[in-house]
């Protein structure tokens, strides 16, 4: 059996990859990395745009709820009557908490948080793209 294997592979020339194979493989890897980079950038940019427009839309919807609540009237007392607030600060803070439009703030802060997260991902993708080691063969 070993003689047959020796004879079988005797007539085959030594297997060498083509000269340009490494260049083709590296070019294909670079093309895939470039496509992944632009896909991640496009998705993050789309997410940032969508969350920014959602935050503006929510602010337009809930503008009256935020701006015309009693929260701002009570908060303005902190700037006009600071001595009275200092002596009655527990009641002041409880009054602020009672009149705070918390649900409205939460609804508006969710797209703002998503916007900041999308911007972070954009910077993270750029940072990873330009800090990758380059291998040249």
């Amino acid at each position: 059996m070993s003689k047959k294997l020796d004879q079988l592979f005797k007539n085959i020339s030594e297997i060498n990859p083509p000269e340009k194979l490494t260049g083709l493989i590296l070019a294909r890897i670079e093309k895939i990395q470039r496509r992944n980079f632009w896909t991640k950038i496009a998705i993050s940019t789309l997410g940032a745009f969508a969350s920014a427009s959602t935050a503006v839309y929510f602010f337009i919807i809930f503008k009256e709820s935020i701006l015309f609540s009693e929260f701002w009237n009570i908060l303005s007392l902190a700037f006009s009557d600071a001595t009275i607030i200092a002596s009655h600060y527990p009641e002041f803070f409880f009054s602020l908490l009672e009149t705070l439009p918390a649900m409205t703030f939460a609804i508006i802060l969710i797209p703002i948080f998503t916007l900041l997260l999308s911007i972070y991902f954009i910077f993270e993708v750029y940072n990873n793209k330009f800090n990758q080691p380059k291998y040249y063969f």
Side-chain angles (χ1 to χ4, degrees), residues 1 18 22 28 33-34 39 52 54 56-57 69 80 82 86 95 101 104 114 117 120 125 128 130-131 134 137:
M1 181 145 192
T22 56
R28 179 72 177 155
Q33 286 177 342
R34 193 177 317 118
T39 303
T54 304
V56 169
Y57 177 70
S69 68
S80 62
S95 297
T104 306
T114 309
L117 200 60
Y120 168 77
V125 168
N128 288 339
F130 295 117
N131 288 335
K134 303 259 191 254
F137 294 100

Side-chain angles (χ1 to χ4, degrees), residues 3 13 17 19 32-33 43 50-51 56 61 65 81 83 98 102 109 124 132 134 137:
K3 283 186 177 184
S13 63
E19 295 280 331
I32 291 171
Q33 286 177 342
I43 290 172
S51 59
V56 169
I61 289 174
S65 172
D81 298 326
T83 55
E98 275 182 19
L109 286 177
E124 189 68 24
Q132 282 182 345
K134 303 259 191 254
F137 294 100

Side-chain angles (χ1 to χ4, degrees), residues 32-93:
I32 291 171
Q33 286 177 342
R34 193 177 317 118
R35 184 177 62 213
N36 288 342
F37 170 76
W38 286 112
T39 303
K40 289 176 184 177
I41 290 294
I43 290 172
S44 296
T45 305
L46 181 66
F49 178 74
S51 59
S53 59
T54 304
V56 169
Y57 177 70
F58 282 163
F59 182 75
I60 290 170
I61 289 174
F62 296 118
K63 176 177 60 175
E64 291 179 9
S65 172
I66 293 172
L67 296 179
F68 299 118
S69 68
E70 289 297 316
F71 175 76
W72 301 111
N73 292 334
I74 295 173
L75 187 64
S76 68
L77 289 174
F79 300 108
S80 62
D81 298 326
T83 55
I84 296 173
I85 302 274
S87 62
H88 301 288
Y89 69 91
E91 292 85 6
F92 174 72
F93 288 124

